[in-house]
Structure formats: C-alpha cells, structure tokens
C-alpha cells in the first residue's frame, strides 16, 4: 500500500510543469515579433489590486521584459522571456514564472488581458529609464515581503 502511495505521488510530481529553479538559470530567448512591444491593460482587471490600477509589460526584441504595475505607486520588476515546455514564458527577477499567450490581438499574462500600445505609461517609462541607468542586481526572493498595501498593518517600528 505504501509503495502505491509513493509511486502515485512521484507520478503526480513528475507530470507537473517544470520549474525554473532561479532567475539566473533561465536562458533569455528572443521572442517572436508578435510578442515584442508595449502591452497594457485597458480598463479594470480582476488580476489587479484595484479597478484604477494599470499593468504594463514591456518586451524587447532581445527578450528583456519589464512588468510594471501602478496604482498608488509603481512596482516594476525586470525579467526575461524564455521557452519552457514549448511555451513562451516571462521569468521575473524573483523567479516567478508566467506564461505569455497571444490570442488574436490580446496578450494573456498573469491573470491579465493586455493590448498592444504605442508606448508605456510615463511612470513605466521612468521605471525603465531608471532600471537601464542602474547596474542590474539579481534579487533573491525574500522570505517575507517588505511591500505594504493599504489597510495592511506595518510590522516595522515607527521610531
């Protein structure tokens, strides 16, 4: 009986999606031309924290990406496009893996529906410019997030 449980667990584990162990191990791959460009959410999206929030994804011809989310502040995460199990994916510098799926003129990404736009928002352009000026440091995923959200109590002392 125990062998059957172990074999079933192993089969389930092996049948799942392969994981990218870390950001450094993901090989940046030039994406197809239809993925290259500036993508942005239009209107409210369930995958965002607020109906007023906006998400942008900048994809370069070399395979670099910048996932830029803005609402009350801008959070921009660099990443890279690669192939995993015959699918195009974006791996950000926190080793988060998200599929890139084109359907007609829309891009499905991280529970968002994005449309191609001429240029990213000004805030995302500033984040991209700042990222290109600074040396790239590859972050390791933190055990505990330092980000705070409206309504979340801060654990940091005030003094």
């Amino acid at each position: 009986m125990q062998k059957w449980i172990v074999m079933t667990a192993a089969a389930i584990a092996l049948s799942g999606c392969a994981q990218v162990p870390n950001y450094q191990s993901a090989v940046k791959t030039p994406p197809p031309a239809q993925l290259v460009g500036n993508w942005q959410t239009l209107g409210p999206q369930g995958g965002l924290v607020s109906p007023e929030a906006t998400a942008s994804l900048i994809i370069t011809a070399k395979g670099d990406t910048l996932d830029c989310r803005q609402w009350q502040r801008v959070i921009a995460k660099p990443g890279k496009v690669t192939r995993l199990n015959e699918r195009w994916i974006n791996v950000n510098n926190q080793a988060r893996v998200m599929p890139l799926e084109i359907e007609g003129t829309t891009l499905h990404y991280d529970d968002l529906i994005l449309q191609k736009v001429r240029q990213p928002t000004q805030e995302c352009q500033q984040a991209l410019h700042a990222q290109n000026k600074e040396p790239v440091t590859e972050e390791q995923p933190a055990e505990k997030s330092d980000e705070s959200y409206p309504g979340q109590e801060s654990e940091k002392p005030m003094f």
Side-chain angles (χ1 to χ4, degrees):
M1 180 71 170
Q2 287 182 344
K3 283 185 181 181
W4 180 82
I5 294 171
V6 171
M7 296 292 278
T8 302
I12 291 170
L14 293 173
S15 67
C17 289
Q19 295 286 325
V20 174
N22 60 46
Y23 181 72
Q24 295 85 2
S25 71
V27 177
K28 182 170 61 172
T29 307
Q34 66 187 30
L35 278 176
V36 175
N38 304 305
W39 298 88
Q40 185 174 318
T41 56
L42 302 174
Q45 302 259 334
L48 294 173
V49 70
S50 166
E52 293 87 27
T54 303
S56 299
L57 180 64
I58 302 166
I59 302 175
T60 69
K62 291 182 180 180
D64 295 300
T65 65
L66 184 68
D67 185 336
C68 182
R69 312 286 175 104
Q70 57 191 100
W71 179 39
Q72 295 179 340
R73 63 188 172 127
V74 175
I75 300 173
K77 296 179 183 173
K80 51 189 161 184
V81 175
T82 191
R83 298 274 292 170
L84 181 64
N85 296 334
E86 304 302 317
R87 295 175 74 184
W88 289 103
I89 60 167
N90 181 46
V91 180
N92 72 18
N93 63 349
Q94 295 174 330
R96 187 159 178 238
V97 176
M98 294 151 290
L100 298 164
E101 297 175 0
I102 294 275
E103 186 178 297
T105 59
T106 61
L107 174 65
H108 295 266
Y109 169 74
D110 195 25
D111 292 329
L112 302 170
I113 299 172
L114 301 107
Q115 298 285 318
K116 202 172 254 192
V117 294
R118 192 177 295 203
Q119 61 185 24
T121 64
Q122 184 160 354
E123 294 84 358
C124 290
Q125 288 179 26
Q126 291 170 350
L128 181 61
H129 180 69
Q131 178 189 331
N132 289 337
K133 282 178 39 179
E134 297 174 7
V136 176
T137 58
E138 296 177 355
E139 300 177 16
Q140 297 296 322
E143 288 182 22
K144 195 173 194 179
S145 175
D146 290 336
E147 296 177 1
S148 63
Y149 301 96
Q152 177 183 2
E153 295 298 322
S154 174
E155 296 178 10
K156 296 180 183 177
M158 295 186 80
F159 300 101

